[in-house]
Amino acid sequence: MLTNLENKEKIFHSYIPLYPNGKYAHILLIRETNSYTIFRTDRDLNTAKVGKSLKDDTPITRLVWFKRKQVAPERITGRGVLRENAPIIWEKLSEEHKKELEHAFSEGNYNCEYNEINCQACPDCIYYGYAIGGAEEGGSEKSKVFVDSAFSITSFEDSHEEFSFNALFEYGTMTDPSGKTRESFGAEDHVVPEVFFPSIVTIKDPTEPEFLYILNNILRTKRYGAETTRGGSVENHVVGIVFSDGEIFSNLKFTKAITDQLMGEYEENNQPEHKELKHPLRYKEVIEASQSAIEDLITSESIRIIKKLSGNELEDLLHEVISYTSSEEKLSSLIEKAFVDVAQYRKLIKESAPTKKGKGKK
Ligand SMILES: [Zn+2]
C-alpha cells in the first residue's frame, strides 16, 4: 500500500471499526465542468442565494450541485471496478471469507445492483451505506463517506446558458412516419464549461483500502449530471488532503474563502474588470486561491490536524495513488483487501450481536 505517507497508524484503521471513532480523511476538490452539463433534480438547474464571500456578504445566486449527483456517478465507477476484479478475487478468497461475502457474488461474479439489491457484503455497500426496508431482511449501513452540496464560485447568471432544442422523433428527424412535423420545442439551462465547484469528500474512520478505493472513484469519474453519455464532462482536481480528528469546514465556506482569495488577488493586481468574478475564471488562479483558502481556514478549526497534504507532498501522494490504481495487479490486490475487510467487518457485527443472526446493532 502507500509508502509516501507517514504515521499511517494514526490516519487509518487496520480494520473497519464497529463504532464511530475520531478519524477523518478529507479529500478537497475543485470540480471543474469541461463541457455543457446539467445538474438538476427536476426541470431547472438548482440554485441558491448565498453570501458572496466571507468578507462580503452581498447576496448572490450560485449554482448548486447536490450531494447525490456527485456521489452516484462515483459509486457507479467503483462498482465497475469491483465487477471487473470480482472473478479473480473470488478464486483467491478463503472459504471463511467466501461465506461472509456470498451475497456480493454469484458464481464468482459481482452481484450487487446499485439501488436495486444491496448485497450488504461489498465495499460499495459498506463504505457508502445503504438502507433497505422489510422486516426480516431489512437493515441499514451508515455511510462512511460524507459529501455535501457544492456551490459554484461564479454566479448562476454567469455560469449557465439556455439552449433551445427540438425534440426529435426516434428516426432522428422532425417528422414522424405519417408526415406530421413535431412541434415540441423546449429550452434547457446548461452549466457552461469551466465552472468551478469546491467540494470536500470526507471519509469517516477510513481504512487504507477504503481511502484508496474512494479516491480512485473520484479520480476516475469523468461524467456527471443528467446526460452522462452526452456532455457532462467534469474533471476533479484534488487540491488538498487533510487527516484530522474531527470534521473541517463546509463546502460553502470553502467556496466563499476562495472567492475572497480571488478578489484580493484581483485588487492587488489592479484588475477592476474582475470585480464581479467573471466567468471564465483562470484555472491556475482558482487552484492557487483554493490552496491559500485551505491554509487560512484550517488554522481556525478547533480540531487536531494529524496531517495536511499540499504542494509537492500532495503531488507525490497522488502520483503514488495513480501508479497503484493504474496497475492491474495492484488494483486487484487493493480490491481484494477491501473485500477481506468487509468480510471481517461482517464477522464482527455478527459476533457483537448474540441474539438474532444478521441483526447486529452497530
Ligand atoms: Zn453491495
Side-chain angles (χ1 to χ4, degrees):
M1 304 245 111
L2 297 173
T3 55
N4 270 333
L5 203 54
E6 286 164 21
N7 291 330
K8 282 205 283 188
E9 70 290 347
K10 286 190 182 154
I11 291 171
F12 300 121
H13 289 279
S14 53
Y15 60 91
I16 306 170
L18 274 191
Y19 303 101
N21 279 255
K23 287 184 165 68
Y24 292 80
H26 303 92
I27 303 167
L28 293 99
L29 302 169
I30 299 293
R31 302 186 188 270
E32 177 193 7
T33 55
N34 276 343
S35 68
Y36 289 91
T37 311
I38 306 174
F39 305 126
R40 54 156 195 229
T41 41
D42 43 49
R43 263 202 75 77
D44 300 315
L45 291 173
N46 302 108
T47 59
K49 210 165 198 177
V50 292
K52 182 179 175 183
S53 74
L54 296 176
K55 288 181 187 156
D56 176 359
D57 60 2
T58 314
I60 68 163
T61 305
R62 289 190 146 105
L63 278 165
V64 181
W65 183 349
F66 280 124
K67 161 194 166 148
R68 225 188 104 78
K69 300 276 164 196
Q70 297 174 60
V71 178
E74 288 162 13
R75 288 187 70 167
I76 290 166
T77 299
R79 297 165 72 89
V81 175
L82 296 179
R83 194 165 293 118
E84 187 77 28
N85 287 279
I88 313 160
I89 289 163
W90 183 250
E91 292 302 315
K92 291 190 199 163
L93 288 171
S94 69
E95 286 310 312
E96 193 198 356
H97 289 152
K98 276 185 177 165
K99 229 180 112 206
E100 291 297 340
L101 301 172
E102 60 185 1
H103 293 305
F105 292 87
S106 166
E107 292 172 15
N109 290 309
Y110 182 57
N111 185 41
C112 177
E113 279 172 47
Y114 185 58
N115 275 347
E116 297 288 327
I117 334 154
N118 288 99
C119 75
Q120 310 174 48
C122 75
D124 178 80
C125 282
I126 302 303
Y127 297 161
Y128 290 96
Y130 59 84
I132 32 178
E136 269 313 294
E137 285 301 306
S140 67
E141 181 69 42
K142 262 195 188 154
S143 179
K144 293 155 192 66
V145 186
F146 305 164
V147 180
D148 212 339
S149 298
F151 301 84
S152 59
I153 299 177
T154 42
S155 71
F156 166 67
E157 294 76 27
D158 217 25
S159 312
H160 84 285
E161 260 173 49
E162 190 185 77
F163 289 158
S164 55
F165 61 89
N166 307 327
L168 296 180
F169 281 105
E170 223 179 312
Y171 312 94
T173 65
M174 287 300 290
T175 317
D176 79 1
S178 68
K180 207 176 97 196
T181 302
R182 190 148 185 164
E183 284 171 21
S184 59
F185 291 86
E188 216 163 16
D189 281 344
H190 286 67
V191 183
V192 296
E194 298 184 14
V195 173
F196 299 91
F197 293 81
S199 173
I200 303 165
V201 176
T202 302
I203 312 166
K204 179 88 164 60
D205 292 316
T207 64
E208 195 174 357
E210 180 177 5
F211 172 75
L212 285 170
Y213 177 80
I214 286 154
L215 182 52
N216 183 45
N217 293 347
I218 292 168
L219 294 173
R220 272 179 193 235
T221 306
K222 309 284 183 197
R223 282 179 196 280
Y224 295 77
E227 297 176 65
T228 48
T229 53
R230 296 176 284 152
S233 178
V234 168
E235 191 167 356
N236 292 317
H237 307 284
V238 180
V239 289
I241 292 178
V242 176
F243 300 103
S244 60
D245 70 346
E247 261 194 278
I248 60 165
F249 45 86
S250 68
N251 286 347
L252 183 58
K253 200 169 177 185
F254 192 22
T255 301
K256 287 183 177 182
I258 293 170
T259 306
D260 278 328
Q261 290 288 341
L262 286 168
M263 298 308 290
E265 197 65 27
Y266 297 149
E267 226 162 90
E268 226 167 79
N269 299 334
N270 217 353
Q271 294 170 279
E273 72 276 16
H274 276 304
K275 232 179 157 183
E276 286 310 319
L277 282 185
K278 280 281 168 224
H279 174 273
L281 298 173
R282 299 235 168 93
Y283 162 76
K284 239 186 113 188
E285 288 176 358
V286 172
I287 300 298
E288 280 168 14
S290 64
Q291 286 162 343
S292 311
I294 297 170
E295 298 294 325
D296 260 18
L297 291 174
I298 215 89
T299 50
S300 56
E301 292 290 322
S302 55
I303 51 169
R304 189 165 61 94
I305 305 298
I306 297 159
K307 181 127 193 103
K308 178 170 65 67
L309 295 167
S310 57
N312 289 341
E313 242 185 330
L314 177 66
E315 287 296 307
D316 288 349
L317 183 83
L318 289 175
H319 273 138
E320 194 185 356
V321 169
I322 291 165
S323 76
Y324 209 94
T325 53
S326 60
S327 145
E328 192 181 349
E329 212 173 300
K330 284 182 181 166
L331 182 61
S332 175
S333 92
L334 164 69
I335 301 299
E336 187 187 341
K337 284 196 179 78
F339 267 112
V340 168
D341 278 357
V342 169
Q344 278 160 354
Y345 177 64
R346 283 176 61 89
K347 217 170 142 239
L348 265 182
I349 292 174
K350 281 184 198 155
E351 284 166 3
S352 77
T355 45
K356 221 171 163 189
K357 197 185 158 202
K359 284 233 154 181
K361 93 171 165 54
K362 293 178 284 287

